[in-house]
Amino acid sequence: MSILVTGGAGFIGSHTCVEMLEAGYDVVVVDNLYNSCAEALHRVEKITGKSVKFYEGDVCDRALLRTIFSENEIEAVIHFAGYKAVGESVKKPMMYYENNLISTIALINVMEEYGVRKLVFSSSATVYAGDNTVPLTEDMKLGAINPYGKTKLFIEEILRDLCASNSDWCVALLRYFNPIGAHKSGLIGESPKGIPNNLMPYISQVAVGKLEKLNVFGNDYETRDGTGSRDYIHVVDLAKGHVKAIEWTLGNTGCDAFNLGTGKGTTVLELRNAFVDVTGIDVPYVIAPRRAGDLDEVYALPDKAKRVLNWQAELTIQDMCEDTWRWQSNNPSGYDE
Ligand code: NAD
Ligand code: UD1
C-alpha cells in the first residue's frame, strides 16, 4: 500500500516524502515540475535510502491519475500540488482558480472512482479573516483577501461538502503557518524561482550574496519592535505533521481542520537577527514601506493538532536558521547547480 503525494517534488512535499518514507510508508509522487525539479526526489532517495515512484504530469489530467491509481495500491493521498504566489494570484486569478481548483476536483473524482477516500490537504493560515485576534484557532472566522487564499478557502468548502455527502471520506485540512528551514542533511530545501517573495528565502539569498539587502516591509506595526510578526515553523516539523495527519485519516471519517504552527510569533527583525547570530553572516537591511495586505501579527494556537493528531512542533528558530543556511550555502542556486 502506498501514499500518493501530489506536488511531492516541491518544498514541503519533498520533506514530507522523507518523513513518510522514514515512517515506513511507500510513496508515489505526481508532479508536473512547474515549480520544482526531479532532482529533489533523487535527493529524497539519497537521504532515506528508499525509492520513490515518480510520475511527471499534471494533477488536472484525469487519465494520468487513473493510470497512477491503476498501477499502484494507493491507500491515501497528500495533496500539495498547486500554485502559491500571492502577488501573482492577484495578477492572474484565473491561472490560480484553474490550477488549484481543477486539480483538486480531478483528484477527488478519481479517488472516488478507485474507492480511495483518505485525503490530507495543504491549506494555509491565509484562510483566516484578517480581523480575528491572535492566537488563531480553527473555529475562527474565515475570509481570504487574494485569489490564492480564496482557492484554499473554496477547496476547504468543497472538501467539507464532500465529507458531508459520504461518511466514508476522511479529510484533514492542514492550515500551515510560515514554513521555513530545510532538512538537516542540507540536500533538500526551498528553491524559489526568481526573486523570493517570502522572508526567509530572501534573507538567505542576501546572506549568500545573490541579493544586496533585505527590505523590511514596515516598522510601525503593533508588535514588539514594530516589524511584522509571524509563526515560523520548521518544514521538517511540518512534514511530520503530515505523517500524523495520514494516520488520523486512516482511522477516522469526516473533515476537520488543524493549525500547524508553533504558537509563537517572531518579528522580521528577530528572524533576521537570529539568522545573523546563528550563521555569523551579516544581512544588511533597510526599512521599506509596508506591503499591501500584510497583518501586524499572525500566530496559531496549535493545541488541536496536539490533542487530536498527537503532533507538536519541536524545532526552534535557531534550528530553522541553521538548517536554511546549510541548504542555501551548499546549494547557492538551489537545484539548478
Ligand atoms: P511548491 O511550489 O514548492 O510545491 C508545489 C508543487 O506542486 C511543485 O512541485 C509544483 O511543480 C507542483 N504542481 C503545481 N501545480 C501542479 C499540477 N497541476 N500538477 C502537478 N503538480 C503541480 O510549494 P510548497 O511551498 O511546497 O507548498 C505546497 C502546498 O502547500 C501548496 O499547495 C501551497 O499552496 C501550500 N502552502 C504553502 C505554504 C508555504 O509557505 N510554502 C504555506 C501555506 C500553504
Ligand atoms: C505570505 C502570504 C501568505 C502565504 C505565505 C506562505 C502575503 C500577503 N501572504 O505570508 O498568503 O500563505 O506567504 O507562502 O503575501 N517581509 C519583509 N521583507 C520581505 C519579505 C517579507 O519584511 O522581503 C515581512 C512581511 O511583511 C511579513 C513577514 O516578513 O511581516 C513574513 O512575510 P512572508 O514570508 O511573505 O509570509 P506572510 O506574509 O506571512
Side-chain angles (χ1 to χ4, degrees):
M1 294 290 252
S2 301
I3 305 299
L4 175 63
V5 182
T6 78
F11 172 45
I12 307 171
S14 55
H15 288 81
T16 299
C17 287
V18 168
E19 298 306 319
M20 293 301 296
L21 289 163
E22 288 187 340
Y25 292 94
D26 290 325
V27 167
V28 176
V29 167
V30 56
D31 197 304
N32 62 7
L33 305 181
Y34 173 83
N35 196 36
S36 53
C37 302
E39 175 62 17
L41 295 173
H42 298 143
R43 297 195 186 182
V44 167
E45 293 180 326
K46 199 166 164 189
I47 292 168
T48 60
K50 296 183 178 173
S51 64
V52 174
K53 191 160 174 188
F54 176 47
Y55 291 84
E56 183 177 341
D58 201 302
V59 181
C60 300
D61 177 353
R62 292 189 192 205
L64 171 67
L65 292 178
R66 289 190 185 102
T67 303
I68 296 172
F69 279 88
S70 305
E71 291 181 355
N72 301 279
E73 287 225 15
I74 305 291
E75 198 177 0
V77 180
I78 308 178
H79 182 36
F80 292 108
Y83 297 153
K84 63 166 186 176
V86 172
E88 184 182 56
S89 82
V90 174
K91 291 190 192 106
K92 299 176 182 169
M94 292 324 295
M95 180 179 150
Y96 274 69
Y97 289 123
E98 178 147 356
N99 191 49
N100 293 4
L101 292 174
I102 303 292
S103 62
T104 307
I105 291 168
L107 178 67
I108 296 167
N109 277 299
V110 175
M111 286 176 70
E112 180 64 45
E113 280 174 35
Y114 286 82
V116 179
R117 300 190 182 91
K118 308 289 182 182
L119 178 66
V120 173
F121 173 63
S122 296
S123 188
S124 168
T126 200
V127 299
Y128 289 109
D131 56 357
N132 289 306
T133 49
V134 286
L136 297 171
T137 56
E138 289 82 353
D139 53 1
M140 281 183 174
K141 196 168 109 192
L142 301 179
I145 56 167
N146 54 65
Y148 163 69
K150 287 178 194 171
T151 67
K152 295 295 178 192
L153 204 51
F154 296 162
I155 294 168
E156 284 202 0
E157 292 293 340
I158 290 169
L159 293 171
R160 268 189 282 272
D161 288 344
L162 174 73
C163 291
S165 74
N166 181 341
S167 60
D168 290 341
W169 275 87
C170 187
V171 177
L173 309 170
L174 301 185
R175 295 180 181 155
Y176 313 152
F177 281 68
N178 291 59
I180 60 171
H183 191 264
K184 274 254 166 284
S185 61
L187 286 171
I188 56 172
E190 190 167 13
S191 182
K193 296 199 169 153
I195 295 176
N197 296 308
N198 298 118
L199 180 60
M200 188 52 134
Y202 206 102
I203 289 177
S204 63
Q205 292 202 8
V206 172
V208 84
K210 288 178 79 177
L211 297 168
E212 190 193 334
K213 57 182 183 307
L214 170 68
N215 296 298
V216 175
F217 297 148
N219 64 351
D220 57 352
Y221 285 106
E222 292 286 316
T223 60
R224 282 186 290 277
D225 59 18
T227 65
S229 176
R230 296 290 181 274
D231 187 341
Y232 297 97
I233 173 169
H234 197 297
V235 66
V236 171
D237 274 335
L238 190 71
K240 288 181 176 162
H242 291 73
V243 178
K244 297 291 191 182
I246 278 291
E247 285 165 4
W248 179 79
T249 62
L250 293 174
N252 287 280
T253 60
C255 185
D256 215 345
F258 302 96
N259 285 342
L260 296 189
T262 65
K264 290 185 214 90
T266 303
T267 69
V268 176
L269 286 180
E270 286 168 347
L271 187 65
R272 178 262 172 206
N273 294 343
F275 187 92
V276 172
D277 286 347
V278 165
T279 63
I281 296 177
D282 189 28
V283 176
Y285 69 89
V286 290
I287 304 297
R290 286 183 174 207
R291 181 174 68 181
D294 278 353
L295 299 171
D296 299 70
E297 191 167 33
V298 181
Y299 62 94
L301 189 75
D303 292 14
K304 184 174 171 188
K306 184 172 182 192
R307 198 175 64 247
V308 181
L309 303 180
N310 189 28
W311 169 90
Q312 66 181 326
E314 283 166 356
L315 298 167
T316 63
I317 286 286
Q318 283 68 30
D319 295 318
M320 300 178 213
C321 293
E322 193 180 317
D323 295 338
T324 298
W325 182 238
R326 189 179 302 104
W327 154 253
Q328 180 73 69
S329 51
N330 289 350
N331 307 269
S333 304
Y335 295 110
D336 297 341
E337 289 291 284

